[in-house]
Amino acid sequence: MMNLYSGTTDPFSHRCRIVLFEKGMDFEVIDVDLYNKPEDIAVINPYNRVPVLVDRDLVLYESNIINEYIDERFPHPQLMPPDPIMRARARQLLHTFELELFSHIDALEKNQKGVDKNRAHVRDQLVQLAPIFTKQKFMLGDEFSMLDVAIAPLLWRLEHYNIELPKAAAPLMKYAERIFSRQGFIDALTPSEKVMRR
């Protein structure tokens, strides 16, 4: 059985929980208190961060790497596109999300000095994505994919991070509701995450 060491409020761990629940697999989530991490996290991940996936002798960290491994090992439902060109595009977009959106998470989580700049940047990036959803249901078209998994924890936390989106982002928020209504997403929420959104 796979074990996922997961932060109960960590958006990166949230991604991995979504994939595990979408796949309907046999796994165990080990909740980690981010403010009082057990010592074994530093032993299994040299960066002392969650999420960490332990599958027998294999230890993986970094949410996108964990999620691609799970997707390849358990291909149903497939979350990365089967076509190499589309898969490369998906990876490119995942990388863009990391740089343009998720690199600001730390500042938003800790409410650091200059956090308003981070909020504005994330808001503007999300507004740019909104028009995509006037034409399609999900990031890559009509099928739920790894890109939707990657961005979902951020969309869920907008209120928590005090990010207000303008009316122009309405298609993005409709898209977010589609994700939030998926059983895999609902099952992946921890009690601490459930209260992040009214």
Side-chain angles (χ1 to χ4, degrees):
M1 190 195 296
M2 289 185 173
N3 289 331
L4 178 73
Y5 290 84
S6 162
T8 52
T9 57
D10 173 49
F12 301 98
S13 298
H14 191 177
R15 282 178 177 173
C16 298
R17 282 184 263 116
I18 294 168
V19 168
L20 289 166
F21 279 105
E22 283 283 337
K23 298 276 183 183
M25 289 164 40
D26 201 16
F27 62 91
E28 189 180 346
V29 173
I30 297 156
D31 289 334
V32 174
D33 177 352
L34 297 177
Y35 301 101
N36 190 15
K37 281 185 225 146
E39 284 171 20
D40 52 346
I41 297 293
V43 173
I44 55 178
N45 179 353
Y47 301 103
N48 194 23
R49 288 201 306 252
V50 289
V52 180
L53 183 80
V54 179
D55 185 16
R56 290 184 287 258
D57 297 338
L58 178 71
V59 177
L60 293 174
Y61 38 88
E62 293 306 313
S63 60
N64 289 334
I65 294 168
I66 291 170
N67 284 347
E68 274 209 54
Y69 167 73
I70 295 167
D71 195 47
E72 285 174 13
R73 187 138 179 254
F74 302 91
H76 303 288
Q78 192 169 22
L79 294 173
M80 281 300 269
D83 169 58
I85 292 171
M86 283 303 288
R87 203 162 50 241
R89 284 195 180 130
R91 286 190 180 119
Q92 188 82 63
L93 271 168
L94 284 170
H95 183 66
T96 303
F97 285 174
E98 295 312 298
L99 295 176
E100 297 297 337
L101 297 170
F102 282 84
S103 63
H104 300 274
I105 293 285
D106 219 31
L108 295 170
E109 288 278 348
K110 293 178 179 144
N111 217 351
Q112 291 169 342
K113 230 160 93 184
V115 73
D116 290 339
K117 227 176 170 170
N118 297 87
R119 274 193 200 107
H121 181 83
V122 170
R123 182 197 62 221
D124 296 347
Q125 291 296 316
L126 290 173
V127 169
Q128 281 180 25
L129 288 174
I132 295 171
F133 304 106
T134 57
K135 299 179 192 79
Q136 59 197 48
K137 269 174 71 171
F138 296 107
M139 280 281 174
L140 292 178
D142 286 336
E143 297 298 317
F144 181 78
S145 75
M146 203 62 89
L147 289 167
D148 305 301
V149 169
I151 202 166
L154 172 62
L155 296 175
W156 181 258
R157 288 163 172 76
L158 289 178
E159 202 177 307
H160 179 67
Y161 294 150
N162 292 317
I163 295 173
E164 282 184 47
L165 294 180
K167 283 200 173 82
L172 177 78
M173 290 326 290
K174 280 199 181 101
Y175 154 75
E177 293 302 330
R178 275 195 292 280
I179 295 178
F180 301 160
S181 66
R182 293 179 72 85
Q183 198 57 52
F185 183 88
I186 295 164
D187 293 343
L189 287 169
T190 64
S192 309
E193 284 166 342
K194 283 179 183 158
V195 300
M196 286 180 173
R197 223 168 155 264
R198 280 185 223 106

